[in-house]
């Protein structure tokens, strides 16, 4: 019995206890008002089978939760920076459209000016026919140029609308995924972030696999079933399952292990989770895409992970770039 609802260091190895780095955040409302270590120690002494919590363990738990809070705040700021970048791109497109509109107005003014000149020359010159013919040709050329600019403005506006639609759809997908995964995120079982323009759902390999193995743990399956239920709600989006390792074991082992782990997760999501096969792919990256330095056990633990990447729709991107399929 643990009144603080947090993982603790056991006095006797009766039951397995997760290491300090997997401690889940405790909501401030659930923290006891009195001195926590003293209360836990008294309860542990009074009740048979209870586990005592040292002051050092408590402090480590608090530090871990603060670090996780700092990390989440950093991710939030990163998403905000990327949103600002998208807004700046949108503003640039608007500026291009406004420039086209000004050019169109300038050409229209020039056309009106030439028409007035043509009328004046027709009344004041004996060679009105020649001058009129020249003016007519210039007018036709200007009208053709205006038509070209009008088409360019239409193309730019169409692409702006598509870019805005893509941004709206991406924001909606990110918000819905985070909302539906809120429980798992709060439990510390996975993280959601933006990396290199991709929405990434990250899960530590230690939750899913034993060391050096590619067979799923029994306790990992419930977490994957919750994730599968979320992925099923996005039938029009593709996800890649990417396996990563630490550098121990060498290239041959790590390439095979990272790929085999990704395939194991994909097969479970399809066979047990009910996710459509055409919405999933698997890839192994060995130890070549680390998220932390490999010079500490904690860094290597972070690098042993499985990621779920929300893949972009390449067809839509090619259309936005003006490239059409054959």
């Amino acid at each position: 019995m643990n009144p603080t609802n947090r993982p603790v260091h056991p006095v006797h190895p009766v039951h397995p206890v997760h290491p300090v780095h997997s401690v889940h955040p405790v909501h401030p409302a659930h923290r006891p008002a009195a001195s926590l270590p003293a209360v836990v120690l008294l309860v542990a002494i009074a009740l048979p089978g209870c586990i005592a919590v040292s002051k050092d363990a408590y402090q480590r738990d608090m530090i871990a939760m603060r670090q996780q809070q700092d990390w989440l705040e950093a991710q939030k700021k990163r998403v905000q920076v990327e949103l600002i970048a998208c807004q700046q791109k949108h503003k640039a497109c608007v500026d291009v459209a406004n420039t086209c509109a000004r050019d169109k107005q300038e050409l229209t003014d020039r056309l009106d000016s030439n028409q007035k000149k043509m009328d004046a020359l027709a009344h004041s010159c004996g060679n009105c026919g020649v001058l009129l013919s020249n003016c007519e040709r210039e007018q036709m050329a200007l009208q053709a140029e205006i038509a070209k600019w009008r088409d360019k403005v239409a193309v730019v506006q169409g692409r702006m609308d598509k870019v805005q639609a893509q941004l709206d759809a991406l924001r909606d997908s990110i918000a819905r995924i985070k909302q539906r995964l809120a429980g798992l995120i709060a439990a510390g079982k996975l993280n959601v972030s933006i990396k290199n323009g991709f929405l990434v759902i990250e899960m530590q390999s230690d939750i899913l696999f034993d060391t050096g193995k590619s067979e799923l743990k029994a306790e990992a399956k419930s977490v994957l079933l919750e994730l599968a239920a979320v992925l099923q709600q996005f039938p029009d989006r593709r996800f890649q399952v990417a396996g990563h390792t630490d550098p121990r074991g060498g290239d041959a082992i790590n390439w095979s292990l990272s790929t085999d782990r990704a395939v194991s997760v994909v097969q479970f999501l399809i066979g047990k989770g009910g996710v459509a096969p055409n919405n999933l792919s698997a890839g192994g990256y060995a130890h070549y895409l680390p998220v932390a330095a490999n010079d500490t056990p904690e860094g290597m633990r972070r690098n042993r992970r499985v990621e779920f990447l929300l893949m972009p729709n390449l067809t839509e991107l090619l259309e936005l770039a003006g490239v059409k399929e054959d």
Side-chain angles (χ1 to χ4, degrees):
M1 179 175 182
N2 184 0
T4 63
N5 293 324
R6 293 183 314 209
V8 295
H9 296 276
V11 176
H12 303 289
V14 179
H15 302 291
V17 179
H18 290 289
V20 173
H21 58 255
S22 63
V23 174
H24 308 322
V26 178
H27 194 281
H30 296 162
R31 297 176 186 159
S35 174
L36 181 59
V39 174
V40 174
L41 181 60
L42 290 175
V43 176
I45 294 174
L47 298 179
C50 292
I51 301 174
V53 179
S54 69
K55 180 179 180 180
D56 289 343
Y58 171 76
Q59 292 176 340
R60 285 195 298 272
D61 291 351
M62 294 300 297
I63 291 173
M65 286 187 287
R66 293 191 188 101
Q67 291 174 341
Q68 185 179 27
Q69 181 180 5
D70 293 341
W71 183 88
L72 290 173
E73 288 295 332
Q75 296 304 311
K76 176 182 176 182
K77 292 179 180 178
R78 183 176 178 179
V79 172
Q80 290 173 339
V81 169
E82 293 179 355
L83 176 59
I84 291 173
C86 290
Q87 291 172 338
Q88 291 174 343
K89 291 180 181 178
H90 175 266
K91 182 180 181 299
C93 291
V94 172
D95 292 340
V96 171
N98 291 337
T99 300
C100 292
R102 288 193 297 269
D103 291 341
K104 174 185 175 183
Q105 183 60 47
E106 181 181 352
L107 291 172
T108 301
D109 294 342
R110 287 173 57 189
L111 178 61
D112 293 340
S113 176
N114 286 329
Q115 182 65 49
K116 292 177 181 178
K117 291 178 181 179
M118 183 180 66
D119 294 339
L121 290 172
H123 288 88
S124 63
C125 298
N127 197 14
C128 294
V130 176
L131 294 174
L132 179 60
S133 178
N134 292 337
C135 289
E136 287 176 347
R137 284 195 298 270
E138 186 176 354
Q139 180 183 11
M140 293 177 62
L142 289 172
Q143 288 176 337
E145 192 172 353
I146 290 174
K148 289 181 181 179
W149 279 108
R150 186 182 296 113
D151 292 340
K152 289 182 180 180
V153 170
V155 170
V156 170
Q157 184 62 50
R159 290 181 181 176
M160 286 174 52
D161 293 342
K162 289 183 179 180
V163 169
Q164 186 62 50
Q166 287 287 323
L167 289 174
D168 293 342
L170 180 59
R171 291 193 194 98
D172 180 66
S173 295
I174 292 174
R176 286 192 294 154
I177 288 175
K178 286 186 175 181
Q179 181 182 8
R180 287 170 171 79
L181 294 177
L184 293 174
I185 294 173
K189 296 179 180 178
L190 54 80
N191 292 317
V192 178
S193 61
I194 303 294
K195 295 180 181 178
N196 300 321
F198 291 92
L199 173 69
V200 179
I201 302 170
E202 180 182 325
M203 190 177 299
Q204 294 300 317
S205 291
D206 296 348
I207 298 177
L208 303 174
F209 305 99
D210 289 321
T211 302
K213 303 295 183 182
S214 61
E215 294 81 15
L216 288 170
K217 291 181 178 180
E219 57 267 30
K221 296 178 180 180
S222 60
V223 179
L224 289 177
L225 286 175
E226 291 185 57
L227 179 60
V230 174
L231 299 185
Q232 287 179 10
Q233 299 176 31
F234 298 88
D236 57 337
R237 309 300 299 186
R238 292 178 56 82
F239 291 85
Q240 183 189 68
V241 181
H244 302 270
T245 67
D246 61 37
R248 294 177 301 175
D251 279 4
I253 292 177
N254 288 337
W255 280 114
S256 176
L257 180 61
S258 62
T259 303
D260 291 344
R261 285 180 169 180
V263 171
S264 294
V265 172
V266 167
Q267 289 176 337
F268 181 86
L269 292 175
I270 294 173
K272 301 297 184 181
V275 180
N278 59 326
N279 286 349
L280 294 174
S281 61
Y285 294 87
H287 55 277
Y288 289 104
L289 291 177
V291 295
N294 283 300
D295 52 2
T296 64
E298 172 61 19
M300 288 190 290
R301 184 194 69 81
R302 290 183 58 195
N303 290 329
R304 296 191 301 271
R305 67 196 190 279
V306 174
E307 295 179 335
F308 303 82
L309 286 74
L310 176 62
M311 304 302 292
N313 189 324
L314 295 181
T315 300
E316 294 176 353
L317 292 178
L318 290 175
E319 289 178 352
L320 290 176
V323 179
K324 298 182 179 179
E325 295 183 359
D326 296 335

